[in-house]
Amino acid sequence: MFKQTHRPTLLQFFIPVFFQTCHSLGLSLLVYIILPSMDVVRGAMFTNSLSLVPALFSLLSRRRVSESDNWLILSGMDGLSMVLMIAGLSVWAISKEGTEAWVLPLAALLVSAGWWENYVERGAIFKPMRFLGKLELTHNRYQTYLFLSLWKIVVFFGGLCLSFWVSGDNPSILFSDFYDSFYRHPIRFSEVRPLISNDSLPMITGDELYEQEHEGRSSPAAVHYAIVLQVLTALLAYLSGKFACKIGIQSFSFALALSLSVPDLFPGYLFWDCPKGSFVQNFLIDQHGWVWVLWILAHAWTSIHVWSPKFKRLELGEILFVEPMYSSLLVDQSLLLNRRRIELPIYSNGEEEEEEENVKAYKELRSAEDPSLLEEDNIPKIYACATMWHEIKSEMKEMLKSVFRMDEDQAARRIGRKYFAVMDPDYYELETHIFFDDAFTKKSNAVNVYVKDLVESLEDAGNQVHETEIHLAPPKKFPTPYGGRLEWTLPGGTKLFVHLKDKTLIRHKKRWSQVMYMYYLLGHRLLEREIPVSRKERLAENTFILALDGDIDFKPGAVHLLVDLMRKNKNLGAACGRIHPIGSGLMVWYQKFEYAIGHWFQKATEHVIGCVLCSPGCFSLFRGKALLDKNVMAKYTTTATEPRHYVQYDQGEDRWLCTLLLQQGYRVEYSAASDALTHCPEQFGEFFTQRRRWVPSTMANIFDLLQDYKRTIRTNPDISYPYVGYQMMLMVGSILGPGTIFLMLIGAFNAAFRIPNFDCFLWNIVPVALFIFVCFFTESDTQLMVAQILSAGYALIMVAVVVALLMQIQDDGILAPSSLFLFLVAGSFVIAGILHPLEFDCLPHGLVYYITIPSMYLLLIIYSLMNLHVVSWGTREVVEEETPDKVVAVEIKEEQKNNGLLGFLNSKSGGKKEGSFELSFAGLFKLMCCTKPVEEKYELVQIASSLTDISKRLDSMERPSGSMLGEQRRFSSAAGLRMAESPFFQTIEEETVEEFEDKDSLHSEHPKILEQVEKRNYLVNPEWIDDPDLKDGQVDFLTGQELTFWREMMDKYLLPLMKDAKKEMKDTEELIELRNKSIFFFFMVNAVFVVAIFLLQNQKETIYITWPLGSTYNMTYSGGTLIYLQENSLHLEPIGVMFVGVFAIILSIQFICMLIHRFGTFSHILASTLIDFCSRDVEVVAKDMAFEKEGLAIIRTLQKLKKGQGEGKGRKSRTTVGDVARRKTIQALEERNQELHQRPANIETAFNLAFKELAQSPDKQDKLFRGEREARVTFQQLARRRSTLVDRRTSTMGERMRGSVGERSNSEERQRQGPTFTNPIFRMEEP
């Protein structure tokens, strides 16, 4: 319903109709003729003969794949299974009499035709089978089944009428007795009992039995119970089988269970006739039980593919099963024979020829290139890209700790793969990039304090993750066209790059940082590689961008879950996780509940019925291939030129990027099990400023998607008309949200304070009008102050509303609409919290959410619309550094102000406070409005700047002597070579100067040389490289190719925007005009809605809808016998009922989708968990799966960077308290220094040392694996595998060395013998 479908061709429509017609007709014959004439056991046995057509099609579609395959044996087994089924059906048919003789094989043939599609192949030998195999039905299956489902009902009913005609009955009784069949009616049945009741008798002959007739009456609900039981049990069996296949436990929980479903029906009480003689003679021979043995063997061969699944975990139902539907009458056979045998590619119409050409080209490519290289291309490559600006130290540490955890996890998986050949399905490669906006000070080309905080926080974060003190090598420094780059190698071996952006050289802000890393990592690092296009396609498909914020906190498992989603669906362009806001205060409590219900209901619903509209940039995974698609990455670089662009492009860049992906046909999903923590606004003003950006950008992007919905539906298979309708309902609800809250407040005032409706209207319109006036004519700070005051007042009113609601429930009853709606909303929240047990603590914060509803859904919307023309971010803003020109300009302005009349009236005395408006009279008195303390940031900035200048002068005086490019910094030889090769650096002349101890003498004697020394080039010797806070790391330079890329990239997209006063004024006017239009639209729509509902509420006595539930009755006694009974029902206004009904429908849809998504999340968690007793292959579990799980756990234990000797529990203090003289301070410092030098430099070295030490010490093994036999066995397997790999590599190296020695000796021999012309190019020709 919520997926896009394609119209089928005539063949794609009529061929499935033909086969499904046969299937339905066969089912009707089976149900109404065959099974009633058999006992339970024989009926169950007969179901194993229903794979005749699959066996036949499998035989005709079998083809030789290679010369070494067993094509002849497999074809023989297909033929044998088909012969066994035909033979068994023939024997049973011969033993029957009358119509059953020909109906039995016919029904088996027709029923088995329903599973034809799974047993035809595109490359079949026979042309008809090949034609059926190329008949792609995936894209149009649902549209075909809209008709086919109704047609199968008609065919099945026709088979019922046919069964009556075959049995000699009149089919008209189906219509004449239909109504009476659902009521109590007599039933006659016979009871066969033995003459002698003795359960110990081994055999009872027919003479000792007697038959007794009985008559009873049917239960009216028996038919309903049977239908409901059949439907529910079949649905449960289907969902359970699908669930087992999705989470990777198919062999034990699917194949074994379904294969034993028929043999399990052997209990003796199911036999209707007591067996005569021995079991073998009676059952296998006399009753032809041996036929069932043949059938079950043939059926097992036909469905043998279910024992060896070849699909990834969490596959879609369309990939796991050929048809997503099932047969409820034969659910076990339907699941077995419908389970897809071969993972076929999905094509759109007319792409078969193109696919065959691509297959040929791919085979040629595989034969021409190294297969191992192509195998490496399938490994996920994750680029973790974080954007930073002015985060505080604690926030930086959280993000860096997440990076260290990822580095540690990747190191463990790499060690297992490198040293033990562990085939880890979750292995990935990692590289981290941090893009730092505005990283330099304005006065000089030096890094700012935030960059220094990042460098200082790096090792602190590593210490907390590794639980020991680590020392990273100083970063390698790269001057770049956009500023600079720092490069670290983390303990796990992964790289961390910090890109320092100078906003005077490159465009700043988050969206342009994202453009930087997209084009650099995907455009330059991937597309500019000199490899075949097919390899680039594969690499782009398995390259992922992990978009992060500078304050995010997550664990590696969260990333693995997102990668799982990417592997499951190749059309998935982006995936996001569950974001948990952290912080303290009431605003954080509000956001915790808001984020919770937003993820529980809204994102889950979008994921289930369509696509998630926003994958937040703080923690999301993007597929490189999707970003490289046309109109995604290229359009993302669009510079805002229209008013709408400023709102849509720059205020909500992550939502706009997802909109571009959806419009290009990619899917966006949400994983509730992938958790990440992020800091959220803790202050009221900061929260309102953030949402001032989010609200307009959200509406703008949804409007953009809805305006072009027809093209999006054609392009994106996951977006359909019902999904667009759902989003339209949400958009209408968002637009009418302020009016709805206003009406709610009127009703709340009326219920809580017993005030007439019109007075309640006036009481509520005044504060709203006041806030609108304040937003129009005052600054943002004043608006926020007024909004905070009104929010506090509304919160108190909402507390009174709670009491009013309870009183109203008592008056109207629990069946009133308001009561039911309250219970529906509260109950859905509570159930959702129970289904999210780890997030249940978010529910108490719903109280804060409730009392702030007027503030967040009325005042916030007004504030956002009134400030629509403000396009600055507003959060994490810092005070600009004061320049002398700015100071002089301010002083002149103040002097002009004080010299006039305003100066007389507004004279100020010294003090620490200032007002937004001040009025004084010659210093006699002064009135200050909206006072606020003078911020001391300006003074602190000036002091810090002065201290920085003094520090730089002291450093220049104490700096060791040396030439500028020689001794002062270290340059690598490779860097120097690249610098010489680069065309840019060929124009730079290196000039050295002699040392001068006195700078004054340098001024007087060598002014030109001093000018050359102090002259800096931002691509050779920028000032920031000498910053001691960045440590004394090696200096390197970009390659000429990368320099060219950055220059071209910056020239095209990323040059700083030049300030144009006229353009800025024009943009401001256009934004104000957009704001005015938006306000007018919102105001008129909400005004009409409020007036209509308000007037209808006042006219409920004449225009109303009667509520059928919760009516009350008044009885009036008149005289002694006359009683008047009056019914009192609730009266509801029509528009309000319609609006509440739509909201209830939306909430119901979200609740159902939440349940479905919860089940999917549960499946995802189970699929990522090893279940030993029911895994995909029981034999593999004991060897490979358990080995991977335990092996990685052991590797993680051994790779830990241990504390040095004496840091742990081994060292004890030898001195007592107060024994200072005997304290060996110097010795302790020396030991500490030795420990730091002896500590392993990285994780891999630490693992090798620990593994070698543990392998040589059985005592340490006993201590480490105490009571863990499985872990000990796994370690022994690791040791043996490591030894085997070392021996294998040693022998390989020995062969290579011997080969090289042999070649060298042969070469020397050839040189002694003279040249031999073996190459055809050098072969001498005969004259």
XYZ file of all heavy atoms in Angstrom, residues 16-29 106-107 109-114 151 155:
180
model
N 1.184 -15.056 -14.358
C 0.882 -15.335 -12.944
C -0.589 -15.659 -12.707
O -0.907 -16.487 -11.849
C 1.288 -14.034 -12.236
C 2.275 -13.401 -13.127
C 1.839 -13.740 -14.512
N -1.488 -14.999 -13.456
C -2.913 -15.297 -13.297
C -3.195 -16.752 -13.651
O -3.962 -17.451 -12.964
C -3.756 -14.341 -14.150
C -5.208 -14.824 -14.223
C -3.707 -12.932 -13.576
N -2.561 -17.254 -14.715
C -2.785 -18.646 -15.114
C -2.304 -19.614 -14.034
O -3.049 -20.523 -13.617
C -2.063 -18.924 -16.438
C -2.002 -20.372 -16.798
C -3.126 -21.034 -17.285
C -0.822 -21.097 -16.642
C -3.078 -22.394 -17.602
C -0.769 -22.437 -16.963
C -1.905 -23.088 -17.444
N -1.090 -19.442 -13.567
C -0.552 -20.367 -12.570
C -1.305 -20.268 -11.247
O -1.564 -21.287 -10.601
C 0.937 -20.116 -12.356
C 1.813 -20.680 -13.437
C 2.373 -19.863 -14.408
C 2.084 -22.034 -13.493
C 3.190 -20.381 -15.395
C 2.894 -22.567 -14.486
C 3.440 -21.742 -15.437
N -1.672 -19.071 -10.830
C -2.384 -18.929 -9.561
C -3.828 -19.426 -9.677
O -4.405 -19.876 -8.691
C -2.362 -17.466 -9.106
C -0.994 -16.971 -8.672
C -0.425 -17.779 -7.528
O -1.142 -18.199 -6.623
N 0.889 -18.002 -7.563
N -4.400 -19.356 -10.867
C -5.724 -19.956 -11.076
C -5.658 -21.463 -10.901
O -6.528 -22.079 -10.245
C -6.252 -19.594 -12.466
O -6.331 -18.164 -12.593
C -7.635 -20.185 -12.693
N -4.639 -22.069 -11.486
C -4.450 -23.508 -11.289
C -4.263 -23.842 -9.819
O -4.826 -24.826 -9.308
C -3.253 -23.991 -12.106
S -3.441 -23.838 -13.897
N -3.481 -23.035 -9.132
C -3.211 -23.279 -7.712
C -4.492 -23.183 -6.889
O -4.758 -24.057 -6.029
C -2.187 -22.268 -7.218
C -1.822 -22.423 -5.780
N -1.081 -23.471 -5.293
C -2.123 -21.652 -4.694
C -0.920 -23.355 -3.999
N -1.551 -22.252 -3.600
N -5.306 -22.168 -7.120
C -6.544 -22.004 -6.355
C -7.535 -23.122 -6.656
O -8.201 -23.636 -5.738
C -7.168 -20.640 -6.667
O -6.291 -19.598 -6.304
N -7.641 -23.509 -7.926
C -8.546 -24.603 -8.274
C -8.093 -25.911 -7.634
O -8.911 -26.682 -7.126
C -8.620 -24.741 -9.801
C -9.594 -25.792 -10.340
C -11.016 -25.490 -9.885
C -9.507 -25.853 -11.862
N -6.791 -26.166 -7.650
C -6.276 -27.364 -6.998
C -6.524 -27.362 -5.506
O -6.834 -28.395 -4.902
N -6.380 -26.198 -4.852
C -6.657 -26.117 -3.422
C -8.117 -26.439 -3.116
O -8.424 -27.130 -2.126
C -6.308 -24.716 -2.905
C -4.842 -24.409 -2.604
C -4.685 -22.960 -2.169
C -4.284 -25.338 -1.541
N -9.022 -25.930 -3.940
C -10.433 -26.219 -3.693
C -10.735 -27.706 -3.849
O -11.492 -28.281 -3.050
C -11.296 -25.392 -4.646
O -11.043 -25.757 -5.996
N -10.133 -28.358 -4.869
C -10.344 -29.802 -5.023
C -9.738 -30.570 -3.854
O -10.306 -31.560 -3.378
C -9.725 -30.275 -6.342
C -10.332 -29.700 -7.627
C -9.567 -30.205 -8.845
C -11.804 -30.065 -7.730
N -4.802 -34.892 -10.209
C -5.062 -33.573 -10.787
C -4.888 -32.474 -9.744
O -4.293 -31.417 -10.010
C -6.485 -33.544 -11.370
C -6.933 -32.205 -11.960
C -6.041 -31.814 -13.132
C -8.394 -32.265 -12.369
N -5.406 -32.701 -8.548
C -5.264 -31.705 -7.483
C -3.799 -31.496 -7.120
O -3.348 -30.361 -6.905
C -6.061 -32.136 -6.252
N -1.187 -31.863 -9.044
C -0.544 -31.125 -10.139
C -0.922 -29.656 -10.104
O -0.055 -28.768 -10.236
C -0.933 -31.752 -11.468
C -0.382 -31.061 -12.730
C 1.134 -31.169 -12.769
C -1.007 -31.662 -13.983
N -2.201 -29.358 -9.917
C -2.652 -27.964 -9.934
C -2.118 -27.178 -8.734
O -1.707 -26.027 -8.866
C -4.181 -27.928 -9.956
C -4.854 -28.463 -11.229
C -6.370 -28.424 -11.079
C -4.414 -27.686 -12.456
N -2.134 -27.810 -7.560
C -1.633 -27.101 -6.372
C -0.156 -26.774 -6.517
O 0.302 -25.669 -6.179
C -1.895 -27.933 -5.109
C -1.168 -27.331 -3.906
C -3.378 -28.016 -4.815
N 0.640 -27.709 -7.017
C 2.089 -27.481 -7.137
C 2.429 -26.415 -8.163
O 3.546 -25.888 -8.158
C 2.785 -28.797 -7.509
O 2.344 -29.252 -8.782
N 1.483 -26.069 -9.049
C 1.765 -25.025 -10.039
C 1.908 -23.647 -9.408
O 2.424 -22.721 -10.041
C 0.654 -25.004 -11.091
N 1.480 -23.486 -8.169
C 1.568 -22.174 -7.529
C 2.973 -21.755 -7.173
O 3.214 -20.569 -6.905
N -9.603 -12.537 -7.769
C -9.855 -13.614 -8.732
C -9.676 -14.986 -8.088
O -10.439 -15.915 -8.372
C -8.927 -13.445 -9.926
C -8.965 -14.580 -10.909
C -7.981 -15.457 -11.190
C -10.083 -14.960 -11.735
N -8.370 -16.357 -12.134
C -9.671 -16.080 -12.489
C -11.374 -14.467 -11.894
C -10.507 -16.715 -13.393
C -12.197 -15.098 -12.800
C -11.776 -16.209 -13.539
N -12.250 -18.147 -7.961
C -11.878 -19.486 -8.426
C -12.070 -20.513 -7.313
O -12.566 -21.628 -7.548
C -10.425 -19.490 -8.940
C -9.963 -20.900 -9.244
C -10.315 -18.616 -10.181
